[in-house]
Amino acid sequence: MSKKVYDIAVLKGDGIGPEVVEEALVVLQAIGTPRFNFTEYPCGAGCYLDCGDPLPDSTVEACRTADAVLLGAMGLPDIRWKDGTEMRPQIDLRIILDLYAGVRPIYLYNRDHSPLRGLDAGAIDFVILRENVEGLFASMNGGIELRREVAVDSMVITRSGTERIVRYAFELAVQRARSPMRVTCVDKANVFKSMAFFRSVYDQVAGDFPDVERDYAYVDALSMYLVQRPKDYDVLVAENMYGDIISDLAAGLVGGLGMAPSGDIGPDAAVFQPSHGTAPDIAGKGLANPVAMILSAALMLKWLGDREDDGDAVQGAARIENAVQFIVSQAGAGTPDIGGTMTTSELGKAIVEVL
Ligand code: ATP
């Protein structure tokens, strides 16, 4: 039986995180059913200043036990560890909770949002699957630095880690049911052993999905193809760092980071957050685009609905997407990053009114 009240852990974080989360919470409340218990937990660079830890154990535990987690953005450029790296509790959380699948839908809502010419709304519609817990990020916090002269970070690709992200990608292509269904393997298999291995595992998993087209692209060439012919893509799967980079490139095709939602999904937990960071340059000015966060909340609803067999939640997700589409497809509607004049809360309110 479907669960009609979901416990959601809310991690607002730093910079523009709290501003965009606030709008997402109002939108979620506006759909009426299902209902939510939102509980806020401390996390981020500000939390480190307050209590000496950017990711307290109690916050991790709350994320583990909640039905899902909504996260704003974390980290501030002036607050760093001794080795010079920024605090990234959102990345630590992925590893602790094994949120291996970074799901990043890229959709063009309005032709004016794209720097590319001649593309109508809906002409760009693909999903990037970023492997979230290994790859080049495996040595995060553990890379080697010798005598302040040599520094090494390693690419770690495992069979089981690759199998599960590639399988997720193929299953998603089947669920999207586009014609043709296609999964593009993004790698650098012509140069790196680790990437040739990634591709060989992709091929093995692809054998289980004969109706889905196989497609291959080296990450450098893909960066060009995404700009030249973004219509060709359906689902793309990549190791962690490549997935990170092509996600920002892809966001740029549809209006920027403020339009790019994401979900970090694991076997037992899931965190939904916009693809952008804390954008300290625009924090507190009402300039942040809340759409990426609001669409991430919709992704959360869809995920909850599928998992709990809750038709109301699945429908709620679609309603939020439609409301966003209705508003941002209008000429000049939106925050300045997408060519509008609305503030963060005006845009949030407009979406709520449609709902
Ligand atoms: P991170 O490494 O944490 O992902 P970043 O340093 O790459 O962060 P972001 O914080 O994502 O950068 O922001 C990059 C730029 O994009 C910002 O300077 C900001 O101008 C713009 N930006 C990001 N998110 C938004 C948003 N929601 N609305 C408007 N502009 C945004």
Side-chain angles (χ1 to χ4, degrees):
M1 211 177 71
S2 67
K3 182 173 172 181
K4 296 296 183 189
V5 182
Y6 293 104
D7 289 324
I8 307 298
V10 178
L11 278 51
K12 293 185 174 174
D14 308 303
I16 62 171
E19 301 164 45
V20 295
V21 168
E22 210 47 63
E23 301 309 318
L25 298 185
V26 177
V27 165
L28 282 172
Q29 267 153 346
I31 62 166
T33 313
R35 288 179 295 117
F36 305 94
N37 281 328
F38 297 121
T39 313
E40 206 180 313
Y41 296 94
C43 191
C47 174
Y48 169 79
L49 292 182
D50 289 341
C51 73
D53 186 352
L55 185 60
D57 288 347
S58 50
T59 296
V60 173
E61 217 30 56
C63 294
R64 214 190 285 282
T65 51
D67 288 312
V69 181
L70 276 180
L71 188 152
M74 308 211 170
L76 289 172
D78 296 339
I79 303 172
R80 292 175 185 257
W81 298 114
K82 279 192 185 131
D83 66 359
T85 57
E86 267 183 50
M87 289 168 197
R88 299 279 180 193
Q90 73 280 26
I91 302 179
D92 296 328
L93 201 54
R94 285 177 199 154
I95 291 168
I96 296 168
L97 298 180
D98 195 26
L99 309 175
Y100 67 93
V103 181
R104 279 114 186 261
I106 299 291
Y107 187 86
L108 181 62
Y109 283 96
N110 181 328
R111 58 182 299 147
D112 296 339
H113 295 172
S114 183
L116 303 180
R117 278 170 305 171
L119 290 174
D120 289 328
I124 301 178
D125 177 8
F126 57 82
V127 183
I128 294 170
L129 257 285
R130 169 186 177 185
E131 201 295 322
N132 252 348
V133 294
E134 50 181 57
L136 198 52
F137 280 64
S139 46
M140 201 184 66
N141 305 329
I144 299 166
E145 196 204 289
L146 282 178
R147 306 185 304 278
R148 303 215 51 77
E149 208 169 308
V150 179
V152 181
D153 289 307
S154 317
M155 174 81 87
V156 178
I157 304 292
T158 68
R159 177 176 295 283
S160 57
T162 308
E163 265 173 14
R164 64 182 181 172
I165 190 70
V166 173
R167 189 165 294 282
Y168 199 117
F170 274 91
E171 285 170 353
L172 182 63
V174 170
Q175 194 184 56
R176 280 165 57 83
R178 297 237 317 211
S179 178
M181 297 180 280
R182 178 181 293 144
V183 174
T184 303
C185 179
V186 182
D187 58 43
K188 192 69 183 167
N190 52 338
V191 175
F192 297 115
K193 279 193 173 59
S194 57
M195 290 289 94
F197 180 65
F198 186 90
R199 187 178 284 205
S200 72
V201 177
Y202 165 94
D203 277 329
Q204 174 217 315
V205 175
D208 293 342
F209 297 88
D211 298 335
V212 181
E213 270 187 17
R214 298 184 197 193
D215 183 40
Y216 307 89
Y218 299 134
V219 64
D220 45 345
L222 178 86
S223 306
M224 179 179 71
Y225 299 148
L226 280 180
V227 174
Q228 289 180 326
R229 43 184 173 85
K231 284 182 180 179
D232 285 3
Y233 295 98
D234 177 10
V235 177
L236 304 97
V237 63
E239 75 79 32
N240 211 335
M241 186 74 230
Y242 296 168
D244 188 20
I245 295 170
I246 63 171
S247 295
D248 277 25
L249 168 65
L253 302 178
V254 295
L257 291 167
M259 296 299 292
S262 85
D264 293 322
I265 295 170
D268 307 311
V271 175
F272 297 84
Q273 63 179 314
S275 291
H276 59 75
T278 52
D281 53 329
I282 56 168
K285 298 179 180 164
L287 295 172
N289 184 345
V291 165
M293 185 75 236
I294 291 169
L295 290 173
S296 303
L299 270 183
M300 178 187 82
L301 262 182
K302 169 84 169 68
W303 179 79
L304 284 169
D306 288 344
R307 195 176 158 94
E308 304 287 335
D309 196 17
D310 181 348
D312 290 341
V314 173
Q315 221 181 349
R319 284 174 57 207
I320 293 175
E321 281 167 15
N322 290 340
V324 167
Q325 179 147 28
F326 182 81
I327 294 297
V328 301
S329 61
Q330 296 168 26
T335 40
D337 56 307
I338 50 171
T341 53
M342 291 173 158
T343 63
T344 309
S345 60
E346 283 168 353
L347 179 49
K349 206 173 283 170
I351 292 166
V352 166
E353 273 165 22
V354 175
L355 282 169

